[in-house]
């Protein structure tokens, strides 16, 4: 018998000239980009920290490495048509090196800095005359005390970099508590700023996509409902949002994308107050509040992001149902004995209209394990089904 021949890897692009999109980051956003990339005929590649990571489980072309390491980034970017991200944490000096070497990095570091550094973001948006809460850089306890007085003690303290899903955010109730927190955090050489605590009615998200040629498309404004600082529910369109305010939010997101020269998907998280809206956060990538677009819109945020970073024409953002609700499946207090595959089948049996998206992640309390999308004719029905389905996925029991 002839000895088996060693297999030789031939990249898809080698045979067919297929565009390669390299994604830096191995989480669920990269995983869901992969689905759309293969449908578009692309050759998706990912830089992952481990083979067990959410995105690394599904990509055919996985490069294992560290996004802090320039050599790993260069190897991943080699012969790629475009390089993009599922998070904002790649060092900008490395991205400039890639650009200097001729790599198409989208979004570019000049824009990413405003998603990476919240103080830079606040400062730039205020320069543009856009609505942000009062804020101040905090480099000492004295800075914090002065700001405490300026906002009558209504202080939200944040790290300038790295915070997410409620991490890196504090709400000190007294001057003494604020001073203690500031001293402790600054001693760890962590950047800080403070902003006025906002008395908001609800949180909204205005999402747009922009390609390098300047085409911009906006999705309907959604309501985001939080649990412990984590988005748990997104409703499209935001209930009882006036046409005038919805238009203002969309126009605001478009202006930010254009002024900051963002390429790809941009999520502008907003506080709706009694008097208007204020910008809360920016994300320059697909976003949790845009997951509903997978099953309730002509063009999902993941397909649109890929189109944008390749500078392809953008797709329609028209909704395909009157209402779409997304509910995250966050790990519960305990992991049920019922296998996940069995839970999924049970949900499908009871709710054929529920669309289940899982991230291939192991159980951990509070962890984003996946989400459920339900498109329906009424908000009541969409919420009922999505909440019950997500509850069962988490707990193996119906609500």
């Amino acid at each position: 018998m002839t000895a088996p021949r060693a297999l030789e890897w031939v990249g898809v692009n080698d045979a067919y000239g297929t565009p390669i999109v390299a994604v830096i980051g191995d989480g669920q956003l990269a995983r869901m980009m992969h689905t759309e990339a293969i449908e578009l005929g692309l050759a998706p590649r990912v830089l992952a920290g481990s083979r067990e990571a959410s995105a690394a489980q599904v990509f055919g072309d996985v490069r294992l490495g560290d996004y802090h390491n320039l050599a790993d980034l260069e190897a991943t970017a080699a012969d790629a048509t475009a390089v993009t991200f599922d998070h904002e944490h790649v060092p900008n000096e490395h991205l400039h090196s890639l650009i200097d070497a001729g790599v198409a990095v989208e979004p570019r570091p000049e824009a990413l800095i405003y998603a990476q550094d919240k103080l830079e973001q606040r400062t730039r948006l205020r320069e543009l005359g856009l609505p942000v809460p009062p804020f101040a850089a905090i480099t000492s306890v004295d800075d914090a005390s002065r700001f405490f007085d300026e906002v009558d003690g209504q202080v939200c303290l944040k790290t300038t970099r790295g915070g997410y899903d409620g991490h890196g955010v504090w709400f000190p109730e007294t001057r003494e508590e604020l001073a203690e927190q500031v001293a402790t955090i600054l001693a760890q050489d962590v950047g800080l700023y403070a902003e006025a605590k906002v008395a908001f009615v609800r949180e909204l998200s205005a999402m747009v996509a922009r390609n390098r040629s300047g085409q911009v498309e906006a999705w309907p404004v959604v309501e985001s409902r939080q649990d412990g600082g984590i988005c748990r529910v997104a409703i499209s369109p935001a209930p009882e949002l006036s046409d005038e305010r919805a238009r203002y939010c969309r126009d605001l997101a478009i202006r930010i994308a254009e002024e900051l020269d963002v390429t790809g998907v941009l999520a502008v998280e907003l506080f709706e107050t009694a008097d208007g809206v204020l910008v809360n956060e920016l994300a320059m990538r697909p976003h949790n509040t845009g997951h509903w677009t997978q099953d309730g819109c002509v063009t999902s945020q993941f397909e649109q992001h890929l189109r944008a970073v390749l500078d392809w024409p953008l797709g329609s953002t028209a909704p395909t149902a009157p209402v779409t609700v997304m509910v995250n499946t966050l790990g519960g207090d305990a992991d049920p004995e019922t296998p996940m595959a069995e839970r999924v089948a049970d949900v499908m049996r009871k709710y054929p209209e529920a669309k289940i998206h899982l991230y291939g992640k192991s159980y951990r309390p509070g962890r984003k394990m996946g989400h459920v999308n339900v498109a329906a004719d009424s908000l009541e029905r969409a919420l009922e089904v999505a909440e019950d389905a997500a509850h069962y996925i988490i707990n193996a029991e119906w609500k």
Side-chain angles (χ1 to χ4, degrees):
M1 179 181 293
T2 305
R5 180 174 60 85
L7 294 178
E8 178 183 359
W9 166 254
V10 178
V12 175
N13 61 301
D14 297 335
Y16 303 109
T18 303
I20 297 173
V21 175
V23 183
I24 311 301
D26 57 16
Q28 64 264 23
L29 301 179
R31 181 186 180 105
M32 289 182 276
M33 279 189 232
H34 174 272
T35 303
E36 301 287 9
I38 59 176
E39 292 294 330
L40 291 171
L42 304 176
R45 175 186 298 161
V46 68
L47 175 62
S50 75
R51 204 56 175 98
E52 293 72 38
S54 177
Q57 296 171 20
V58 297
F59 273 71
D61 187 352
V62 179
R63 309 296 169 94
L64 296 180
D66 182 353
Y67 64 82
H68 296 97
N69 185 298
L70 178 58
D72 290 346
L73 292 169
E74 290 172 334
T76 304
D79 69 4
T81 309
V83 172
T84 192
F85 316 93
D86 91 334
H87 60 70
E88 293 95 349
H89 307 310
V90 180
N92 268 356
E93 61 269 25
H94 292 349
L95 300 182
H96 282 295
S97 295
L98 294 180
I99 291 170
D100 290 343
V103 177
V105 175
E106 302 288 3
R108 296 180 181 176
E110 292 84 358
L112 274 173
I113 185 63
Y114 299 114
Q116 295 167 336
D117 190 305
K118 297 181 181 68
L119 182 56
E120 293 276 3
Q121 173 210 121
R122 287 287 190 253
T123 303
R124 181 61 179 139
L125 294 183
R126 184 169 64 183
E127 289 171 352
L128 293 170
L130 300 179
V132 295
F135 68 93
I138 303 297
T139 60
S140 68
V141 171
D142 287 343
D143 289 342
S145 294
R146 279 192 295 272
F147 189 75
F148 187 92
D149 291 336
E150 289 174 12
V151 296
D152 296 325
Q154 299 300 301
V155 176
C156 175
L157 187 65
K158 294 185 178 183
T159 55
T160 57
R161 288 175 175 257
Y164 69 98
D165 287 349
H167 298 286
V169 180
W170 300 268
F171 295 95
E173 296 184 1
T174 65
R175 185 191 304 275
E176 292 72 25
E177 184 182 351
L178 173 63
E180 182 179 346
Q181 287 177 332
V182 167
T184 300
I185 298 166
L186 289 179
Q188 301 168 18
D189 197 27
V190 174
L192 279 178
Y193 80 104
E195 61 187 32
K197 187 160 51 175
V198 176
F200 58 88
V201 176
R202 60 175 170 176
E203 296 188 56
L204 302 172
S205 178
M207 295 190 62
V208 301
R210 179 175 178 269
N211 64 17
R212 179 51 51 194
S213 296
Q215 181 187 1
V216 184
E217 294 291 340
W219 286 277
V221 178
V222 308
E223 177 179 330
S224 172
R225 298 181 179 177
Q226 310 288 310
D227 185 358
I230 300 174
C231 172
R232 196 183 69 81
V233 178
I235 301 170
S236 175
E240 300 179 6
L241 185 68
S242 69
D243 290 343
E244 180 182 7
R245 182 155 291 180
R247 185 163 51 251
Y248 174 81
C249 293
R250 287 195 300 269
D251 290 347
L252 175 62
I254 290 170
R255 185 179 173 199
I256 291 173
E258 292 175 340
E259 293 280 7
L260 303 187
D261 195 26
V262 176
T263 302
V265 167
L266 169 70
V268 179
E269 296 181 80
L270 300 164
F271 291 132
E272 184 178 22
T273 72
D275 301 320
V277 297
L278 296 170
V279 176
N280 177 25
E281 302 274 1
L282 302 181
M284 297 178 190
R285 50 170 170 74
H287 191 255
N288 203 162
T289 57
H291 292 348
W292 71 274
T293 62
Q294 292 171 300
D295 302 296
C297 193
V298 173
T299 309
S300 79
Q301 64 167 344
F302 301 102
E303 177 182 344
Q304 199 81 298
H305 186 75
L306 293 167
R307 288 186 184 212
V309 301
L310 290 167
D311 201 22
W312 287 2
L314 301 182
S316 167
T317 54
T320 54
V323 177
T324 303
V325 169
M326 184 282 308
V327 177
N328 273 327
T329 54
L330 306 174
D333 294 334
D335 191 18
E337 293 183 5
T338 306
M340 179 62 79
E342 192 172 321
R343 285 178 256 165
V344 168
D346 287 344
V347 170
M348 291 176 171
R349 194 171 295 113
K350 184 173 182 179
Y351 296 119
E353 68 268 46
K355 305 294 287 185
I356 302 166
H357 301 265
L358 297 178
Y359 307 154
K361 293 184 175 182
S362 59
Y363 164 81
R364 189 173 70 222
R367 189 180 203 182
K368 290 180 182 176
M369 312 284 288
H371 64 272
V372 176
N373 287 336
V374 175
D377 290 334
S378 72
L379 175 58
E380 292 74 19
R381 177 60 180 173
L383 267 175
E384 176 189 359
V385 173
E387 289 277 21
D388 199 25
H391 185 83
Y392 190 85
I393 291 288
I394 297 165
N395 302 294
E397 59 183 30
W398 300 110
K399 246 184 138 174

